[in-house]
Amino acid sequence: MASDRRTLLADSAIDVLADEGIRGLTHRAVDRKAAMPPGTTSAYYRTRAALLTALVTRLVQLDQAELQTMPEELPPLRTVEDLVNGMALLTLQRLTGEGRRRSLARYACAVESVRDPELREILLPRENAGREAVRLFLAAHGVTDVESRTHILLTCIDGLVFARLVSGGDVPREALEGLVTAALR
């Protein structure tokens, strides 16, 4: 039960952060969002730092679960079009529905992590099936510095998602094609 309650509170904290921003993230706001009695969040996460750590840990867990299953949703990445389609799916997931809410929370936490090494460590990119699929695609296409190119490509896509969260709209397919082409050079 405690584990379920901790998860509920962390999920509610993500929602509060997505809805109200970092200033709106309080123990009381999480209590309200989780429909829990006042004081519940502070009983589980005594300090704001503990609440943020739980939120970021849960956020990474949800993102990793999504990225682990992503290759199953796509055909094997053999062509540039296959990779662009995968990137288009990822950006769509990050800009709509629950993915949008997690993206808003993730970027708010990224800014907080500038001053909090513990958060920064939790937010560092992790190995997952999606990252591995990109790495294997680039290697199969003769890219010699696969690790660096994978990191740069995924960072650029992350930047496009951020820009669209701020300004609205979708990530243009042409932008994704350009990034993949540049990664293959």
Side-chain angles (χ1 to χ4, degrees), residues 59-180:
L59 192 58
V60 168
Q61 180 185 37
L62 292 168
D63 284 347
Q64 284 295 99
E66 178 183 68
L67 292 169
Q68 282 300 122
T69 61
M70 188 166 229
E72 298 166 11
E73 299 174 33
L74 299 167
L77 301 180
R78 292 192 178 98
T79 67
V80 168
E81 184 177 358
D82 293 338
L83 182 56
V84 170
N85 288 341
M87 299 298 176
L89 176 61
L90 175 66
T91 61
L92 180 65
Q93 288 175 335
R94 295 290 166 99
L95 290 171
T96 59
E98 200 55 39
R100 177 181 172 74
R101 299 177 65 67
R102 286 198 328 263
S103 292
L104 289 168
R106 183 182 319 101
Y107 292 122
C109 291
V111 171
E112 285 299 305
S113 78
V114 170
R115 291 174 285 291
D116 187 332
E118 184 180 359
L119 290 183
R120 186 172 39 248
E121 181 63 30
I122 297 167
L123 283 169
L124 285 174
R126 302 271 187 269
E127 288 304 314
N128 56 63
R131 180 176 290 276
E132 181 63 12
V134 171
R135 187 182 293 116
L136 291 173
F137 175 86
L138 294 176
H141 284 80
V143 173
T144 55
D145 55 342
V146 173
E147 291 302 320
S148 175
R149 296 282 178 103
T150 299
H151 177 75
I152 291 168
L153 175 59
L154 295 177
T155 300
C156 288
I157 289 174
D158 196 40
L160 287 172
V161 169
F162 178 79
R164 293 305 176 190
L165 277 174
V166 172
S167 65
D170 296 327
V171 172
R173 186 170 181 85
E174 301 79 37
L176 298 172
E177 289 168 346
L179 289 175
V180 171

Side-chain angles (χ1 to χ4, degrees), residues 16-17 19-27 29 48 52 108 112:
V16 169
L17 187 54
D19 292 340
E20 300 178 32
I22 197 71
R23 295 181 114 200
L25 181 65
T26 65
H27 288 81
R48 180 177 173 82
L52 269 171
E112 285 299 305

